[in-house]
Amino acid sequence: MEHLHPALQIGLLIFLLLCSAFFSSSETGLLSLNRYRLRHQADEGHRGARRANDLLQRPDRLLGTILVGNNFVNILASSIATVLAVKLWGEAGIAIATIGLTLALLIFGEITPKTLAAMRPELVSYPFSLVLKWLQFVFYPIVVVLGWISNGLLRVLGVDPASRGTDSLSTEELRSVVRDSGGALPRNRRNMLLGILDLEKVTVDDIMIPRNEVAGIDLDDDLDAILNQLRSTPHTRLPVYRRDINQIEGIVHMRQIARLLSENQLTKEGLLSACLEPYFVPENTPLSTQLVNFQKHKRRIGIVVDEYGDVIGIVTLEDILEEIVGEFSNTDALRSPDIHPQDDGTLIIDGAAYLREINRALEWDLPTDGPKTLNGLVTEALEQIPDSGVCLQIGDYRLEILQSAENRVKTVRAWTIGQSKPAEDESDG
């Protein structure tokens, strides 16, 4: 080696530094690849992705090939640098070669190529995988022997080399991936995916129409009143009951009685004969399960009952679908009939509004693990039914009770902590 011309030694040294950069960037690039994107591209037929995916199937052999090659070029570069430095500066050249080569390897062989590979893993990994496949074949005997020794040491330490971590994602991890997708997914599609994932943790009683808001047909009413209600109802399906919704007789579809209704020939007996048998749903049924049940039983509306069998509301297929795709009838969240924006930036919200609807419409984060409505949240926080003018803070939000009557909070003024409220409207509570 010392008989080579210094210019040739310098050229060889530069080549070895490039080889070191190749191995360093290959390792970082391959290990930084997004595994799910890699598999997708491999399935689509991308050659570089297929090679990289094949290499990552045996990470022990991949790392063995890279480390064998990297250590070989680094040791060889150290030897050449030492010989060259001694030839140029004598004994002092040993120290100069050690310091100079260390800096060169750190800058050109480690930090720079690894940073580039971490930032652009596909740009580095896909073309370099072709060379690595060939080197893996060349170094195969050495890599196998070294791998056998290394695996033996791992077994002594109680680690099974054959065991590998799973690449599968939990629901929460998948939810984080969707949230972090950024501009890769349009906002509405991202919200739909999150809505599907949330079906597991949202139950029927979170989205049901409560009993006091259910529009139904009471068979004890006069026939004229029933006919007028049927002609003016905006709903397609209605529960039919006697005196009390707990005594439900069935569900009537307006299509089944449209002809009789238009010809004024509908009777209570005809209405009953057109009803479908009521379909009951336990209140704690997850939405994902209920969606499957609706499909299985060919139903679009269910009567929600509590643990005692009492009716507490109704749930429809549309309610569940709206949890995924958003409101069908309203694209502007702030036009919700329960939420009224004010000129000063605050919001007047109906106390009966569901917390989930408020959070979705305003992108807020009011707690939903307890009460379902804003009225319930306020009364639980204060442990009493408050008077008008009382203010309280829940999380990052301030609430002022504007109207309280009939044992419930009817209207609330709400704003975020970072939002200033006009001085003349402030109240103490």
Side-chain angles (χ1 to χ4, degrees), residues 350-353 355 371 373-380 407-410:
D350 193 299
L355 295 174
T373 65
L374 184 58
N375 166 60
L377 181 66
V378 171
T379 53
E380 181 186 72
N407 295 326
R408 71 181 184 91
V409 175
K410 300 195 73 173

Side-chain angles (χ1 to χ4, degrees), residues 41-190:
Q41 291 182 330
D43 291 340
E44 291 293 314
H46 192 291
R47 292 184 179 181
R50 284 184 174 179
R51 289 194 302 266
N53 191 49
D54 290 341
L55 289 170
L56 289 169
Q57 296 304 310
R58 290 297 303 267
D60 54 337
R61 293 185 180 177
L62 171 63
L63 291 175
T65 301
I66 292 174
L67 293 176
V68 166
N70 202 23
N71 280 281
F72 174 77
V73 298
N74 286 346
I75 293 171
L76 184 57
S78 177
S79 301
I80 294 175
T82 301
V83 170
L84 180 61
V86 169
K87 183 183 294 185
L88 296 176
W89 298 292
E91 293 297 324
I94 298 176
I96 295 173
T98 301
I99 296 173
L101 185 62
T102 299
L103 291 175
L105 284 174
L106 283 174
I107 296 172
F108 301 107
E110 294 289 338
I111 297 175
T112 302
K114 285 190 173 183
T115 301
L116 173 63
M119 295 174 62
R120 300 286 189 272
E122 294 178 8
L123 180 66
V124 171
S125 302
Y126 291 172
F128 286 6
S129 62
L130 182 62
V131 180
L132 285 174
K133 289 280 284 187
W134 180 77
L135 289 176
Q136 196 173 60
F137 174 76
V138 173
F139 294 156
Y140 181 78
I142 302 175
V143 170
V144 169
V145 172
L146 293 177
W148 181 79
I149 297 173
S150 176
N151 291 340
L153 292 175
L154 289 174
R155 290 189 182 92
V156 171
L157 296 174
V159 179
D160 183 8
S163 64
R164 295 179 57 189
T166 177
D167 289 334
S168 59
L169 294 176
S170 67
T171 301
E172 291 300 323
E173 290 170 336
L174 185 56
R175 187 178 286 109
S176 298
V177 170
V178 174
R179 286 199 184 103
D180 295 341
S181 61
L185 279 175
R187 181 178 175 182
N188 62 332
R189 295 185 183 179
R190 186 164 65 247

